[in-house]
Amino acid sequence: AVTEYIMQARIEDGLMLLKKLVDIALVSPEKIGVDDIAESMNFVLNHFNKSLEKDLDPEIEKKVKDGIKNIEGLKQLLIGGSFAVKVRRWAGKWTFEGDDAIDEDGHRVYRFQQELKVLAREVVNDPSILTQGILSWLSSRRGHTFFYYLGIHDTGRKLLKQLLPLGKSDKTCHVFASYCGGQFTHNPKWIKQFIDDVFQSRKVCPNGIVLLVSIIPSYGKGVSYVADLLKKDLVASDFVQGTLVCGRWMEELTDEEFLILIKAVAKDDYTHASLAVDMIGMWLHLNRDLSEDVAEFSWRCLEARTLVNRNHTWDYDRLASRLFRKDFKRGLCLVKDVVSGKRED
């Protein structure tokens, strides 16, 4: 609303309102959307700068230039704000500024990444500024990036005790896992020990354990943990599939570890065979061969009476094509069953 107000030729009044909102943000950032204010300012700046490319009435041009100067001044106030202000600005929504690319040590990074790294270091130096209110806000926003950098810079794990409760809830375990992901960059041995501990003690919720396992590429021991959670119905098959199929996590698993994982995902009655087929599709995409045991299980997934998620049909077709080359007779029987309507897949 403020953005529209300023752009509809009510520049002076709109800027006064924007100044009031910035004043509120600087004093009570928890009561207002700091990222919304930043978004409005950057949107108006972009609009004003484009306006100057046109032939404007001299009076309007002066108002636009004054508006740009005033908004730049307001942006500086936010930049100089407290930690609570800055973290809500950079860990919130996109603000037409956070995606600006910046050079950092020879690499191109987004502006919001650079700012969140700075804020993470501030927290490590003074953990007291990470209040419960800010912690709750971060957990419901784009906080995973901030927590990842926090894990990178918290080499002494000073914040682990404060952050551990986040790992106990399905709603916040993702940001705790991001913190642990940052820890993994400089202490992979500790992460493995920590996963062993929380699996036994259940200090982290089951979904959180799956997320922790996903931090370590092709973590064979983690496969046994995930399979145990699936067997006890403590985690959902689609959550495990969606978490571990991403990227190249499965690439270095042994054939035996991969078989344990996809069997656990599919369940003994093949209820979730389509999820297992999707994972097998990724296995093939990673240029892994189908061992004899994996191939046999793959056949059983195709032959199971289970509904197929339409998103997985390509994986079914690709897998069937691969298996048919090795056992055409069995494949022909499968086709006959499908055509005759005896199977739902």
Side-chain angles (χ1 to χ4, degrees):
V2 177
T3 304
E4 291 295 325
Y5 192 67
I6 296 174
M7 291 169 57
Q8 295 301 324
R10 301 175 182 274
I11 298 177
E12 297 91 341
D13 292 343
L15 289 174
M16 288 180 61
L17 179 56
L18 193 57
K19 175 64 167 60
K20 290 180 180 179
L21 294 175
V22 170
D23 288 341
I24 294 173
L26 293 174
V27 177
S28 304
E30 73 282 356
K31 296 181 179 180
I32 197 167
V34 178
D35 50 348
D36 288 328
I37 296 174
E39 179 187 36
S40 293
M41 288 194 294
N42 288 318
F43 188 87
V44 173
L45 278 176
N46 290 338
H47 174 73
F48 280 175
N49 284 319
K50 288 182 180 179
S51 297
L52 292 177
E53 298 174 3
K54 306 174 184 178
D55 291 329
L56 298 176
D57 177 86
E59 185 178 349
I60 297 297
E61 181 177 352
K62 183 178 184 306
K63 288 184 178 181
V64 170
K65 289 182 176 180
D66 288 343
I68 292 174
K69 182 178 179 180
N70 286 330
I71 292 177
E72 290 290 359
L74 293 176
K75 286 180 64 175
Q76 288 302 313
L77 290 177
L78 288 183
I79 289 174
S82 66
F83 171 79
V85 172
K86 290 182 288 189
V87 77
R88 284 177 167 85
R89 177 184 182 183
W90 296 112
K93 65 164 70 172
W94 293 100
T95 61
F96 297 94
E97 180 181 30
D99 55 349
D100 289 344
I102 296 174
D103 283 316
E104 183 181 86
D105 299 327
H107 300 283
R108 299 289 282 174
V109 299
Y110 287 122
R111 173 73 183 277
F112 84 91
Q113 292 175 306
Q114 185 189 56
E115 297 292 345
L116 290 179
K117 288 178 185 179
V118 173
L119 293 173
R121 287 193 287 267
E122 287 185 21
V123 171
V124 173
N125 292 330
D126 182 8
S128 67
I129 63 177
L130 188 61
T131 64
Q132 187 58 46
I134 295 175
L135 209 53
S136 298
W137 184 89
L138 280 167
S139 300
S140 61
R141 296 299 192 282
R142 204 170 61 183
H144 60 278
T145 304
F146 172 78
F147 283 101
Y148 176 71
Y149 292 136
L150 199 57
I152 290 176
H153 294 291
D154 187 20
T155 55
R157 297 192 293 279
K158 294 189 296 184
L159 292 153
L160 179 61
K161 184 177 180 180
Q162 182 182 1
L163 300 181
L164 185 57
L166 297 175
K168 296 180 180 180
S169 169
D170 287 340
K171 295 181 179 180
T172 56
C173 61
H174 62 290
V175 290
F176 179 72
S178 294
Y179 169 79
C180 292
Q183 288 287 326
F184 179 73
T185 63
H186 55 79
N187 200 341
K189 183 178 179 181
W190 175 80
I191 284 294
K192 292 180 179 180
Q193 294 173 337
F194 182 70
I195 293 175
D196 292 342
D197 174 55
V198 297
F199 178 76
Q200 299 298 331
S201 65
R202 292 294 192 268
K203 293 178 182 177
V204 172
C205 67
N207 281 354
I209 293 174
V210 174
L211 293 173
L212 291 177
V213 169
S214 73
I215 293 171
I216 308 173
S218 303
Y219 185 34
K221 192 173 183 180
V223 168
S224 64
Y225 292 154
V226 172
D228 182 77
L229 295 173
L230 284 164
K231 185 177 181 180
K232 295 176 180 177
D233 290 325
L234 295 176
V235 292
S237 290
D238 58 349
F239 180 78
V240 171
Q241 177 265 344
T243 301
L244 301 185
V245 80
C246 296
R248 311 184 75 88
W249 186 87
M250 302 186 301
E251 188 171 21
E252 300 299 327
L253 289 177
T254 66
D255 293 331
E256 292 76 14
E257 290 165 348
F258 180 61
L259 183 61
I260 290 171
L261 180 60
I262 56 179
K263 278 187 172 182
V265 167
K267 300 292 187 179
D268 292 339
D269 59 359
Y270 294 89
T271 303
H272 299 297
S274 64
L275 297 175
V277 170
D278 181 70
M279 297 179 78
I280 297 169
M282 176 57 75
W283 188 252
L284 295 174
H285 177 72
L286 295 170
N287 296 316
R288 294 297 301 267
D289 293 327
L290 299 180
S291 69
E292 183 177 344
D293 290 338
V294 172
E296 175 59 32
F297 178 75
S298 299
W299 273 114
R300 293 180 184 180
C301 285
L302 294 182
E303 294 166 345
R305 295 182 60 84
T306 179
L307 292 175
V308 181
N309 183 321
R310 290 185 178 181
N311 294 326
H312 301 155
T313 52
W314 187 86
D315 291 312
Y316 267 78
D317 292 342
R318 185 186 186 196
L319 179 58
S321 175
R322 178 69 68 93
L323 294 174
F324 279 25
R325 297 173 204 167
K326 296 184 178 181
D327 193 339
F328 182 77
K329 184 177 179 180
R330 189 171 182 178
L332 189 59
C333 290
L334 175 61
V335 171
K336 289 180 179 178
D337 281 348
V338 172
V339 172
S340 64
K342 291 181 179 180
R343 301 186 186 278
E344 299 176 12
D345 56 340

